[in-house]
Amino acid sequence: MTARAPGYKSLVATVPIYYGWVVWFVALVGTAASSPGQSYSVSLFMDYFIADFGLDRTTVSSLYGLGTFIASLSLTWLGRKLDLAGNRRTGVAIGCLFGLVLCLCAIISGPIMLLAAFIGIRGLGQGALCLVSSTAVANWFRSRRGRMMAYLALVYALFQGLYVNGLRVLLDTLDWRGAFVVLGVGVGALVVPLFGLLMRNKPEEYGLLPDNQNVKRDAKAEDQPIAVDLNEENWTLREAMRTPVLWLYMFARMLPSAWGTGLILHQVSIFAQLDHSAQVATETFALLSIFAAGSALLAGYLIDRFKPSIVVVLAMLGLASACLLAMIMRDTALLILYALASGLGLGIGYVFDGAVWTNMFGRRFQGEIRGFVFTAGIIGSAIGPALFGLSFDRAGGYGPVLALGALLAVVVMALALVTPQPKRR
């Protein structure tokens, strides 16, 4: 990078606090703006798609899964471009595209267009926007990375409960097509200006270090880029792929993504089979969001102090419990336990994705590595809804797929305790 002119003062230098907090706030807005592409948002549109297009639940779930799978294939490429272009320019481009795609969802007229819409909103919302936002936080914080991701997940989880209820009111007020237009305009108006004006790529580009560590330099060099060795091992994607722990943790994230997405996307139907109304499903999800917020704080504390395997075990415990409870939660006490178990997995998962990969493999190639592992998670969210739909249409309920999820979670829990952490040869 070329040296800046003498006397140059960037926005980073003029802000009275460590600029990482500004980046954290922009990342929070970007993460919240991904909501229209998340399963808890799409779940509220499912019945409209089934009724308006004359499709059954398995078909819509399969289109959703296929669209999610196709969208996931671009994430490794996107991560590589993110490492080169930085979070600022990438975030602006994604915000523009995501807002446009959401507005275009208002003209969906059949299965083909519905598939295209799923590809767009899943790839740009759940995948790209979340990847850019969490990568930015990981660049600006190191020793506090787990805690900062926990704070992000905390606020995001609380926002989810408000968002779901707000979207339900919006759908009752407008039709589903008008709701998509409102969401698209909102995303564009929030993401594009904030990322363009306030997002910055790495602290070293502005004479700073992660966590606002002290930098010894000449006073004249203030606000100039620095090159510093942080004793950080930077693995390439090819090197990381040779470690068993990468593949185990990928599956550990893929599994909650698959079953968690299935539980959320089909939550109205799951609750109906247990004699609960759609309102109870929405209220339980709001409670789940509160528990997810608390779980995120717990995960941030654990990730900064203990091996990631401990966090994986807790996440798998939450998933297994949620699957089992989803088959029997007919009274209020079991509904609360279900929300607690689901919230545990949800809160831990987001903090894990934002911190552990970078902690293990470094910041330099984190976009490419995290894009690769995000692909596995999104593939999981593509498979899960289809499995739930098949279970409902073929077995008359969700019992078989829920039992399978609980069993796989226990297997991953055991493997996480015996798989070693990666070490360079």
Side-chain angles (χ1 to χ4, degrees), residues 128-150:
L129 197 52
C130 284
L131 178 62
V132 172
S133 300
S134 57
T135 299
V137 176
N139 278 331
W140 283 80
F141 295 92
R142 189 187 183 199
S143 63
R144 291 183 289 168
R145 188 173 291 148
R147 278 167 285 176
M148 297 307 297
M149 292 305 306

Side-chain angles (χ1 to χ4, degrees), residues 45-110:
F45 290 89
M46 284 285 286
D47 290 338
Y48 293 102
F49 296 151
I50 292 170
D52 285 10
F53 303 136
L55 304 172
D56 59 27
R57 188 168 296 274
T58 298
T59 301
V60 176
S61 299
S62 298
L63 289 173
Y64 180 81
L66 178 59
T68 301
F69 173 75
I70 295 172
S72 72
L73 299 178
S74 65
L75 286 181
T76 303
W77 173 84
L78 173 66
R80 191 177 301 119
K81 296 301 179 184
L82 176 59
D83 289 332
L84 295 173
N87 301 294
R88 186 181 186 183
R89 286 191 291 175
T90 309
V92 170
I94 291 169
C96 290
L97 289 173
F98 189 33
L100 176 62
V101 167
L102 285 170
C103 290
L104 291 175
C105 285
I107 62 172
I108 297 172
S109 61

Side-chain angles (χ1 to χ4, degrees), residues 172-183:
D172 291 339
T173 305
L174 305 173
D175 61 7
W176 63 268
R177 299 180 187 275
F180 269 123
V181 173
V182 172
L183 292 174

Side-chain angles (χ1 to χ4, degrees), residues 32 35-36 38-45 156-172 179 183 264-265 267-268 278-289 346:
S35 293
Q38 302 286 358
S39 297
Y40 55 79
S41 184
V42 179
S43 69
L44 298 183
F45 290 89
Y156 176 49
L158 295 175
F159 167 79
Q160 288 176 19
L162 297 174
Y163 170 83
V164 168
N165 284 287
L167 180 57
R168 187 162 59 86
V169 172
L170 184 63
L171 287 168
D172 291 339
L183 292 174
I264 293 173
L265 192 65
Q267 61 181 334
V268 174
Q279 182 177 353
V280 172
T282 304
E283 291 171 350
T284 303
F285 183 82
L287 182 61
L288 184 158
S289 299
L346 184 65

Side-chain angles (χ1 to χ4, degrees), residues 251-304:
F251 188 73
R253 293 300 306 127
M254 184 177 180
L255 191 59
S257 182
W259 266 258
T261 301
L263 284 167
I264 293 173
L265 192 65
H266 296 282
Q267 61 181 334
V268 174
S269 176
I270 291 171
F271 276 70
Q273 285 210 321
L274 297 169
D275 301 323
H276 296 300
S277 66
Q279 182 177 353
V280 172
T282 304
E283 291 171 350
T284 303
F285 183 82
L287 182 61
L288 184 158
S289 299
I290 295 173
F291 287 135
S295 301
L297 292 178
L298 173 64
Y301 174 84
L302 294 174
I303 285 172
D304 284 342

Side-chain angles (χ1 to χ4, degrees), residues 137-384:
V137 176
N139 278 331
W140 283 80
F141 295 92
R142 189 187 183 199
S143 63
R144 291 183 289 168
R145 188 173 291 148
R147 278 167 285 176
M148 297 307 297
M149 292 305 306
Y151 300 151
L152 187 67
L154 167 66
V155 182
Y156 176 49
L158 295 175
F159 167 79
Q160 288 176 19
L162 297 174
Y163 170 83
V164 168
N165 284 287
L167 180 57
R168 187 162 59 86
V169 172
L170 184 63
L171 287 168
D172 291 339
T173 305
L174 305 173
D175 61 7
W176 63 268
R177 299 180 187 275
F180 269 123
V181 173
V182 172
L183 292 174
V185 172
V187 166
L190 284 172
V191 173
V192 175
L194 277 178
F195 270 77
L197 296 174
L198 299 179
M199 178 57 75
R200 296 296 183 270
N201 297 327
K202 291 184 179 179
E204 292 91 337
E205 296 178 7
Y206 301 91
L208 300 172
L209 290 178
D211 302 306
N212 203 23
Q213 298 176 34
N214 291 327
V215 182
K216 294 182 179 179
R217 61 175 184 266
D218 190 289
K220 296 180 180 179
E222 182 181 358
D223 203 34
Q224 298 298 318
I226 60 174
V228 62
D229 180 11
L230 296 174
N231 294 319
E232 187 176 61
E233 286 191 355
N234 289 296
W235 299 58
T236 64
L237 174 59
R238 182 171 297 181
E239 290 172 333
M241 289 173 66
R242 298 192 188 108
T243 63
V245 73
L246 174 80
W247 299 100
L248 175 63
Y249 286 0
M250 277 180 61
F251 188 73
R253 293 300 306 127
M254 184 177 180
L255 191 59
S257 182
W259 266 258
T261 301
L263 284 167
I264 293 173
L265 192 65
H266 296 282
Q267 61 181 334
V268 174
S269 176
I270 291 171
F271 276 70
Q273 285 210 321
L274 297 169
D275 301 323
H276 296 300
S277 66
Q279 182 177 353
V280 172
T282 304
E283 291 171 350
T284 303
F285 183 82
L287 182 61
L288 184 158
S289 299
I290 295 173
F291 287 135
S295 301
L297 292 178
L298 173 64
Y301 174 84
L302 294 174
I303 285 172
D304 284 342
R305 291 167 176 81
F306 299 101
K307 293 180 179 180
S309 57
I310 302 298
V311 184
V312 171
V313 168
L314 282 176
M316 292 300 100
L317 180 62
L319 176 62
S321 301
C323 288
L324 295 175
L325 286 164
M327 294 188 279
I328 60 172
M329 52 181 187
R330 294 186 179 276
D331 56 46
T332 303
L334 292 178
L335 286 172
I336 294 173
L337 287 175
Y338 168 78
L340 176 61
S342 299
L344 180 66
L346 184 65
I348 288 176
Y350 191 81
V351 179
F352 187 97
D353 285 335
V356 169
W357 303 112
T358 312
N359 288 349
M360 288 196 301
F361 301 117
R363 293 184 302 154
R364 184 176 178 186
F365 303 106
Q366 68 157 322
E368 186 176 15
I369 292 174
R370 295 182 67 217
F372 178 73
V373 299
F374 264 45
T375 298
I378 294 184
I379 289 174
S381 65
I383 295 171

